Every structure is written in C-alpha cells, then in structure tokens.
Amino acid sequence: MRVSVCITTFNGEEFIQNQIDSILCQLSENDELIVSDDGSTDQTCGIIASYNDNRIKLFKHQAPGLYKQKPINYRITRNFENALKHAGGNIIFLADQDDQWEKNKVSEILTIFREEQVNLVLHDAMVVDKEMKVQSDSYFQIIRSRPGIIHNLVKNSYLGCCMVFDRKILNQSLPFPEHLIAHDMWIGLIGEKYGKVRFLGKPLIRYRRHDLTATTSGKSSGNSILYKLEYRIQFLIQFLGRVYFNPKKH
C-alpha cells in the first residue's frame, strides 16, 4: 500500500514542524506527504522546504477571483481539494497543520485496510490545548460519533484529520461541488454511500484546539440556527446531486 498524506497549511509556522515530524517518521520511502499552502505570509513554506525530503511535495494553492473573501471553511475545503488532486497513493490520510500524530497511527490504520474490507476509517482523537495538555481523552465522546448518513447530516462525526480512505472514495469524492464548505463531511458521506466505513474508537492523534484554530469542531460554532439549516439543505442538495443525478462510475 502506498500512502499519501494530504495536509493544508496557512501561516502555521508555530506548529507545522512538530506535525511533519510526527508524520514523516511513520512513512516509507515510497510514501508521500502532499502539502497545499494557501498563501502563507510567515515562515511556513520555508520550514517545509528546509526538510529537503523527496517525500514532501509542496504545492501553492492558486485560487481565483474573490476567493479570499469566502468563508474560512470554504477556503479550507478548496485547499484540501488541491492537495487531494496531487495525491498518488492508494491510501489517503488527511492531516491538519497543528495536530500531532501518535506513533502507531499509520501502522494501525494500514492493518485495518489489509485485514478488513473497508474503504474509509474514522478514528478517535485526544483533544489537547495549545500546550498539548489533554482536555478530553475522546473526541468521539464529545460529539457522540457514530455512522449513518442521516445522523451525520444532522450532527457531523467526520473530522478530516481523523479520516483515512482508499482511492475508490477519493475518485468518487472529486471534484468537490462548486460551493462545498465541508470537505470532511462530504468525503465521509460519500464513503458511507459507496463503500464500507469503519469507526475506530482509538485516539490516534492529538487534536489541538486553540485560538488560531480555523474550525470550530467540538465547540459551539456560534452560527445561527438559520445558517445551520441553510448549510445542511445546501449540502443535501449537493450530495443528492452527486449520488443520484450525476453519479460517477469507476
């Protein structure tokens, strides 16, 4: 199995080295770390380049028009799409720039793919603060994670940095719908529709929550009920459009 780790960055100089170190030590010489940078103005790209490691492939995300005025979740989703388009492996890991992987993450996940007929694995995470102090032993417990398309449309369990999937799910997921703002929820539900999903109740990363975190996973988002309703209706239309009106055949 060839692994592609897809990570997106934006002004992540404070944490990116720690994350890359926790990933590279688990990859073989044939694996790759795909980094898509969304226009960092700090030393993020310099730190990545300093590794001089052929497994690391850095791409600059070239976004059109009024992209920078779009909501942050939309921009993250487009940046991840850019990383995924460059992935050459048959097992794809998603990663955030400010987390830290447990030492056994890759080996445990690959064992599941080898021994079980699964297409997507979602594993648990320890929630930590900026200083890596554990705030919760289980992200799954915080949001009551479980599979099911209807359940996850209402309360999404699919956290990108805890997701690993095969090329079948990648091919079914790309390209993302034009106005998609939740790449992880999208890939997760595509996985439930077209493959077998495995929820692994074992924390394989330290999921860092701090003031600079881009998303609100595991916290109250502050968005209005109307916004949440409109977002889910839009997502459902996109999902049904892909599955029933414009299905992909691979």
Side-chain angles (χ1 to χ4, degrees), residues 181-209:
I181 61 172
H183 67 283
D184 41 12
M185 182 176 172
W186 175 258
I187 295 170
L189 295 191
I190 289 291
E192 294 214 24
K193 173 62 181 176
Y194 291 105
K196 180 181 178 182
V197 172
R198 167 83 141 81
F199 275 51
L200 176 64
K202 186 171 185 178
L204 294 178
I205 68 166
R206 295 174 184 261
Y207 175 49
R208 199 191 309 252
R209 312 305 297 149

Side-chain angles (χ1 to χ4, degrees), residues 23-89:
I23 294 172
L24 282 182
C25 64
Q26 303 187 50
L27 301 184
S28 74
E29 291 302 313
N30 294 322
D31 297 333
E32 61 183 6
L33 175 59
I34 303 292
V35 184
S36 180
D37 185 78
D38 204 25
S40 292
T41 56
D42 65 0
Q43 296 302 310
T44 298
C45 292
I47 292 170
I48 295 168
S50 70
Y51 278 84
N52 194 29
D53 189 316
N54 291 332
R55 295 173 296 178
I56 300 177
K57 300 172 184 178
L58 176 60
F59 298 93
K60 301 298 180 68
H61 182 216
Q62 302 296 329
L66 301 176
Y67 170 78
K68 290 297 182 183
Q69 299 178 23
K70 297 285 188 178
I72 183 65
N73 285 348
Y74 174 87
R75 302 201 304 269
I76 293 170
T77 289
R78 290 300 155 196
N79 200 17
F80 264 111
E81 182 179 36
N82 185 55
L84 290 168
K85 287 178 178 178
H86 290 95

Side-chain angles (χ1 to χ4, degrees), residues 6 11 16 59 69 74-75 96 101 111 129 139 147 157 161 169 174 185 187 189 224-225 228 235-236 248:
C6 291
N11 288 349
I16 188 63
F59 298 93
Q69 299 178 23
Y74 174 87
R75 302 201 304 269
D96 291 343
W101 285 15
T111 296
D129 65 13
Y139 180 79
S157 302
C161 57
I169 301 306
L174 295 177
M185 182 176 172
I187 295 170
L189 295 191
S224 69
I225 294 176
K228 293 176 182 178
F235 186 96
L236 180 59
K248 300 186 69 177

Side-chain angles (χ1 to χ4, degrees), residues 90-211:
N90 59 332
I91 302 294
I92 295 92
F93 289 68
L94 300 184
D96 291 343
Q97 66 181 5
D98 49 0
D99 298 331
Q100 179 179 303
W101 285 15
E102 295 296 283
K103 294 180 180 180
N104 60 335
K105 170 167 172 161
V106 172
S107 61
E108 292 217 16
I109 294 296
L110 293 184
T111 296
I112 292 173
F113 275 95
R114 289 190 184 102
E115 297 182 353
E116 304 177 27
Q117 298 300 312
V118 299
N119 302 101
L120 187 151
V121 175
L122 179 72
H123 64 74
D124 204 353
M126 283 182 286
V127 181
V128 300
D129 65 13
K130 183 178 179 180
E131 306 303 326
M132 281 291 170
K133 294 179 181 178
V134 177
Q135 305 299 300
S136 172
D137 291 326
S138 173
Y139 180 79
F140 275 14
Q141 290 183 6
I142 293 174
I143 64 168
R144 300 176 183 176
S145 298
R146 62 182 175 88
I149 290 177
I150 299 301
H151 172 79
N152 285 288
L153 279 170
V154 176
K155 180 65 173 177
N156 180 43
S157 302
Y158 287 103
L159 182 64
C161 57
C162 296
M163 293 173 62
V164 188
F165 45 92
D166 64 15
R167 193 144 204 100
K168 173 183 176 181
I169 301 306
L170 176 64
N171 290 339
Q172 291 288 356
S173 298
L174 295 177
F176 290 162
E178 182 178 357
H179 301 293
L180 186 69
I181 61 172
H183 67 283
D184 41 12
M185 182 176 172
W186 175 258
I187 295 170
L189 295 191
I190 289 291
E192 294 214 24
K193 173 62 181 176
Y194 291 105
K196 180 181 178 182
V197 172
R198 167 83 141 81
F199 275 51
L200 176 64
K202 186 171 185 178
L204 294 178
I205 68 166
R206 295 174 184 261
Y207 175 49
R208 199 191 309 252
R209 312 305 297 149
H210 54 87
D211 292 341

